[in-house]
Amino acid sequence: MSTKKSWSEKFMTRTEPEVKRIDKAFADIPANALMLIASPKILSDYLHQVPKGKTVDIKTIRKDLALEYRAEYTCPVTTGIFLRIAAEAAHEAYQKGEPIERITPFWRAIAPNSPAAKKLSFGPDFLVKMRELEGIAT
């Protein structure tokens, strides 16, 4: 009988990025492009670099990561999945008493009214709270 992995365990599952050439066009990525498949940790590290009180959108994250890892694009699907894993793992850590300064500041990339916020297990209220603490308009 298998037990369900915690978000923190999922966060640690994939740690290494992968850059690969894709054969077929995918989402907004043309065929034969070099595509980065990041990781939850890479997204977490990126969000820790976003200045307190500032926000960043997914398109910018994808563009910046592609440049950093010498790819032409970053996978939109895995970026969304890994951002959620980083957010859920950060919330788990917060619930266990981890200081806010030490968790992934995912509220800088996920707006409370966004489709991504609706998927989070803890809902948008925590996002609103964290954004207010940083002086980010919601």
Side-chain angles (χ1 to χ4, degrees):
M1 193 153 110
S2 66
T3 58
K4 189 174 178 182
K5 282 186 179 180
S6 71
W7 289 105
S8 298
E9 290 170 323
K10 290 179 184 183
F11 182 89
M12 296 308 296
T13 299
R14 180 183 176 89
T15 56
E16 294 301 315
E18 180 182 350
V19 176
K20 64 181 192 176
R21 191 163 302 279
I22 61 169
D23 297 335
K24 300 177 186 173
F26 172 71
D28 62 348
I29 305 172
N32 296 318
L34 280 176
M35 180 180 77
L36 168 68
I37 300 171
S39 72
K41 173 136 179 36
I42 287 170
L43 282 160
S44 176
D45 291 346
Y46 179 93
L47 291 173
H48 277 287
Q49 293 174 22
V50 175
K52 185 176 180 176
K54 302 290 184 190
T55 61
V56 64
D57 63 28
I58 295 293
K59 285 184 180 188
T60 302
I61 294 170
R62 288 180 56 215
K63 198 177 296 184
D64 290 348
L65 290 176
L67 285 170
E68 183 177 344
Y69 288 89
R70 295 189 174 109
E72 296 168 282
Y73 298 89
T74 300
C75 177
V77 174
T78 57
T79 300
I81 292 167
F82 295 152
L83 179 58
R84 178 173 184 200
I85 291 170
E88 297 280 5
H91 189 258
E92 278 181 357
Y94 176 77
Q95 288 182 311
K96 291 178 181 175
E98 195 70 37
I100 289 172
E101 302 78 36
R102 296 198 34 200
I103 67 171
T104 302
F106 59 88
W107 51 89
R108 296 176 187 163
I110 302 175
N113 61 349
S114 69
K118 291 178 178 79
K119 294 178 183 178
L120 297 172
S121 65
F122 49 86
D125 291 345
F126 186 75
L127 289 166
V128 171
K129 176 183 170 184
M130 295 296 99
R131 282 178 164 235
E132 285 174 354
L133 284 174
E134 286 199 5
I136 299 170
T138 51

